[in-house]
């Protein structure tokens, strides 16, 4: 007798395991402890959010141009930020020359925009990215510093605010990554001289705090230089930050290099590729992709560490806000100042973090290891 | 697999020597892995190397393109002697294709990019020409439709065929196969062996480390048996399988043929 198999009907899942209710049950009310923690969290939010909103938005002062405007309200005095906003952005950069900074910013946005558009082919993106990496710093430097092409010279000591923060972070990132890659390759080199050199360099710079590096560059370095020779304080800080960051970057990249299977090197060698081509075409693209989270982590740390330059008297965003809060005319508004500073830092760091996640997803080629 | 007439019935091999290994010794630290390897491979000759694991089979063929260093002896490939000169080594590697047990495709590149990379960067071919050549070889290994995919999206057998195509794109004079089917599921072994057979039909000089005795019987001119870092015995497949000379060969054959 032939039995026909009747397929079991497809049933919907139990209603309490899907939808909003299912989600709530699974994530917030799955056990007595979870219920207690959920209620506690709700209570904390209830006590914290309303006063915060009242201070930052509802009772805050948004208009006016002096501190008296703020006395009518009990909340935050955003007038303080408004009045100093240009200063926070440009530092002491001369008013009539600020268009140069704006122009550089617009050029960067226009130049980099195609990198974020999905439809642009990858090959074009790589070419554009590389030419930006090399070309843009030169353009930006000429625009900021001036002294040629009919632009009046602006001394680096008057650069400040967000501009200075971005200059230090940008130079640190752009210069530290290639240097770090070279150091990582050197540390794995078969040649003992190169290996020793790289290990010594990395271990030295990783072993000292950034503050010490900055102090040394601004206080001690001039002692060793011949009398009369003077190099720019900002340049010295940039070199210090770059070398310091390169050592960290080298170790991040080395982690990626170690994850590349030996077979990749062998396959490249068997095809007749030399050392540099193997590294550039086969090993580094894979290794760097693996360590994107580590690289971005280092970048974010660097971005925030730029605030340390205040100890050598550079007025980056952090320092210039701090400076404004000590202005006798505007005493008592340091909370607003630091909340503003924190928000700006957070926006940049969060942006980097999101971009890196996006990049990781896009570069995933479904390969298994 | 397509039946080839027995290798002995082929046209006589040319006298041109492609690979000459003379008294090659290799040590890993104090461990003597290769002992007095002497091997001459003529143009168009197909050799299968077999033996128990750890016998030095892979190490021997990896010496030919200098993936392994050796401490004594000399190896001449296509008239050029291997030395410590990096340029000389790279020149020889261009002429010697290699297929690995674990494929070793470049996972960040598509199948087509895997195939054109070396022709473009080593042979300096224009991209268009390199792509034409690559598509021709991908058609030969019967996977032109996968050209735009990444290796991670292919089956093991497909990956190994891409690896063969990648090597062929360099137009090598010699192909080395290092256990090309050992990492494959049984149903995929055949497609890779078939590809290797078509290669043999075209007169490619091949050295193949494998345990596929069927392949050895139909394709090889000569079978080499290694054990303990030495070449124990070499003979035509007909003689090798029916009248093995040494006891170790007999033991090995009884173990691999009767399981």
């Amino acid at each position: 007798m032939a039995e026909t198999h009747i397929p079991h009907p497809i049933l919907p899942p139990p209603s309490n395991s899907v939808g909003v209710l299912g989600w709530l049950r699974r994530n917030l009310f799955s056990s007595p402890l979870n219920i207690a923690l959920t209620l506690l969290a709700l209570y904390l939010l209830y006590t914290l959010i309303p006063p915060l909103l009242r201070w930052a938005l509802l009772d805050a002062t948004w208009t006016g141009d002096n501190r008296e405007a703020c006395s009518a309200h009990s909340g935050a005095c955003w007038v303080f930020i408004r009045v100093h906003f240009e200063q926070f952005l440009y530092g002491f950069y001369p008013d009539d020359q600020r268009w140069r900074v704006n122009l550089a910013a617009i050029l960067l946005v226009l130049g980099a925009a195609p990198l974020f558009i999905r439809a642009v082919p990858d090959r074009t993106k790589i070419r554009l990215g590389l030419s930006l990496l090399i070309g843009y710093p030169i353009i930006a430097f000429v625009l900021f510093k001036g002294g040629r092409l009919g632009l009046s010279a602006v001394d680096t000591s008057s650069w400040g605010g967000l501009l200075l923060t971005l200059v230090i972070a940008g130079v640190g990132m752009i210069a530290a990554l290639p240097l770090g890659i070279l150091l990582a390759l050197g540390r794995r080199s078969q040649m003992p001289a190169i290996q020793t050199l790289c290990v010594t360099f990395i271990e030295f710079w990783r072993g000292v705090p950034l503050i010490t590096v900055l102090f040394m560059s601004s206080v001690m370095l001039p002692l060793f230089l011949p009398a009369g020779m003077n190099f720019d304080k900002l340049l010295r800080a940039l070199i210090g930050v770059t070398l310091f960051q390169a050592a960290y970057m080298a170790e991040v990249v080395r982690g990626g290099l170690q994850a590349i299977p030996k077979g990749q090197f062998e396959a490249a060698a068997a095809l007749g590729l030399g050392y540099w081509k193997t590294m550039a075409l086969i090993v580094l693209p894979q290794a760097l992709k693996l360590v994107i989270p580590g690289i971005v982590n280092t970048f974010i740390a660097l971005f925030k560490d730029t605030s340390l330059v205040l100890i050598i008297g550079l007025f980056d965003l952090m320092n210039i806000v701090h400076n404004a809060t000590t202005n006798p005319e505007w005493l008592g508004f340091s909370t607003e100042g630091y909340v503003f500073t924190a928000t700006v830092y957070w926006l940049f760091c969060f942006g980097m973090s999101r971009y890196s996640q996006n990049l990781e997803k896009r570069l995933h080629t479904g390969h298994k290891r | 697999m397509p039946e080839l007439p027995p290798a002995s019935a082929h046209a006589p091999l040319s006298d041109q020597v492609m690979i000459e290994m003379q008294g090659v010794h290799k040590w890993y630290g104090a461990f003597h892995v290769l002992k007095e390897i002497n091997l001459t491979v003529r143009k168009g000759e197909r050799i299968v190397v077999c033996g128990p694991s750890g016998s030095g089979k892979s190490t021997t063929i990896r010496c030919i393109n200098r993936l392994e260093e050796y401490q004594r002896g000399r190896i001449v490939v296509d008239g050029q002697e291997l030395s410590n000169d990096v340029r000389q080594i790279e020149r020889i590697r261009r002429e010697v294709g290699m297929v690995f047990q674990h494929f070793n495709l470049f996972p960040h590149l598509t199948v087509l990019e895997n195939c054109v990379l070396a022709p473009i960067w080593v042979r300096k071919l224009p991209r268009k020409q390199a792509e034409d050549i690559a598509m021709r070889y991908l058609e030969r290994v019967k996977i032109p439709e996968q050209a735009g995919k990444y290796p991670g999206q292919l089956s093991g057998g497909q990956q190994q065929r891409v690896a063969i195509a990648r090597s062929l794109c360099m137009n090598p004079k010699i192909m080395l196969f290092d256990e090309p089917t050992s990492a494959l599921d049984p149903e995929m072994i055949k497609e890779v062996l078939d590809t290797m057979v078509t290669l043999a039909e075209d007169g490619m000089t091949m050295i193949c480390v494998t345990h596929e005795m069927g392949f050895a019987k139909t394709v090889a001119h000569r079978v080499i048996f290694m054990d303990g870092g030495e070449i124990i015995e070499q003979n035509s497949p007909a003689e090798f399988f029916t009248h093995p000379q040494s006891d170790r060969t007999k033991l090995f054959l009884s173990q691999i043929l009767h399981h």
Side-chain angles (χ1 to χ4, degrees), chain A residues 29-280:
Chain A
F29 300 102
S30 60
S31 68
L33 178 65
N34 258 355
I35 293 172
L37 288 175
T38 301
L39 293 178
L40 182 69
L42 283 176
Y43 174 72
L44 282 176
L45 290 177
Y46 169 74
T47 50
L48 288 176
I49 298 285
L52 197 63
L53 282 181
R54 237 174 285 136
W55 178 81
L57 301 174
L58 302 178
D59 295 343
T61 316
W62 298 89
T63 50
D65 40 23
N66 52 46
R67 63 173 301 152
E68 282 66 42
C70 293
S71 46
H73 302 274
S74 59
C77 179
W78 297 125
V79 177
F80 169 70
I81 305 296
R82 258 188 44 162
V83 168
H84 293 93
F85 193 67
E86 298 241 311
Q87 197 187 37
F88 293 169
L89 284 189
Y90 307 103
F92 308 115
Y93 210 87
D95 283 351
D96 55 343
Q97 299 298 323
R98 284 177 184 172
W99 62 269
R100 282 152 57 173
V101 180
N102 297 342
L103 178 63
I106 291 167
L107 284 178
L108 180 62
V109 170
L110 287 183
L115 299 177
F116 297 86
I117 297 170
R118 235 162 252 265
V120 178
D122 285 350
R123 202 180 301 278
T124 321
K125 276 186 190 172
I126 294 175
R127 277 203 199 124
L128 178 67
L130 284 179
S131 35
L132 266 184
L133 277 184
I134 298 163
Y136 184 76
I138 300 171
I139 297 172
F141 176 77
V142 171
L143 274 173
F144 293 164
K145 188 83 177 24
R148 65 201 79 193
L149 301 177
L151 296 169
S152 60
V154 178
D155 193 70
T156 56
S157 59
S158 46
W159 303 12
L162 187 61
L163 164 67
L164 186 66
T165 296
L166 292 179
V167 165
I168 299 170
V171 170
M173 288 171 196
I174 292 171
L177 185 58
L179 197 56
I181 290 172
L182 288 179
L183 284 168
L185 292 176
R187 190 165 186 165
R188 283 167 55 94
S189 164
Q190 310 278 332
M191 285 175 264
I194 292 182
Q195 200 192 2
T196 314
L197 197 73
C198 291
V199 172
T200 315
F201 181 94
I202 292 170
E203 295 306 333
F204 171 77
W205 289 97
R206 279 205 308 170
V208 290
L210 183 54
I211 289 208
T212 318
V213 174
L214 292 172
F215 259 133
M216 299 263 270
S217 73
S218 77
V219 181
M220 284 186 57
L221 196 63
L223 299 181
F224 298 114
L225 291 174
M229 187 174 164
N230 182 29
F231 42 128
D232 195 90
K233 185 152 76 172
L234 175 61
L235 182 63
R236 277 178 280 154
L238 286 177
I239 293 173
V241 167
T242 300
L243 296 180
F244 182 83
Q245 218 57 43
Y248 277 90
M249 198 53 78
E251 290 299 280
V252 171
V253 173
R254 190 166 69 95
L257 292 176
Q258 276 172 343
I260 304 302
K262 206 166 137 245
Q264 295 288 309
F265 295 87
E266 289 180 350
L271 287 168
L273 290 163
Y275 176 83
W276 290 108
K277 281 177 190 162
T278 302
M279 290 302 158

Side-chain angles (χ1 to χ4, degrees), chain A residues 263-264 266 269 274 277 281 365, chain B residues 62 93 104-108 121:
Chain A
Q264 295 288 309
E266 289 180 350
K277 281 177 190 162
L281 300 168
T365 55
Chain B
R62 286 159 61 91
R93 282 173 177 166
N104 295 352
L105 292 177
F106 306 130
H108 62 302
W121 290 93

Side-chain angles (χ1 to χ4, degrees), chain B residues 1-4 189-190 193-194 197 212-216 218-219:
Chain B
M1 75 189 66
E3 283 296 315
L4 280 183
I189 292 177
K190 188 175 170 304
L193 289 180
D194 285 351
V197 169
E212 296 294 330
M213 290 303 135
F215 177 79
T218 49
V219 172

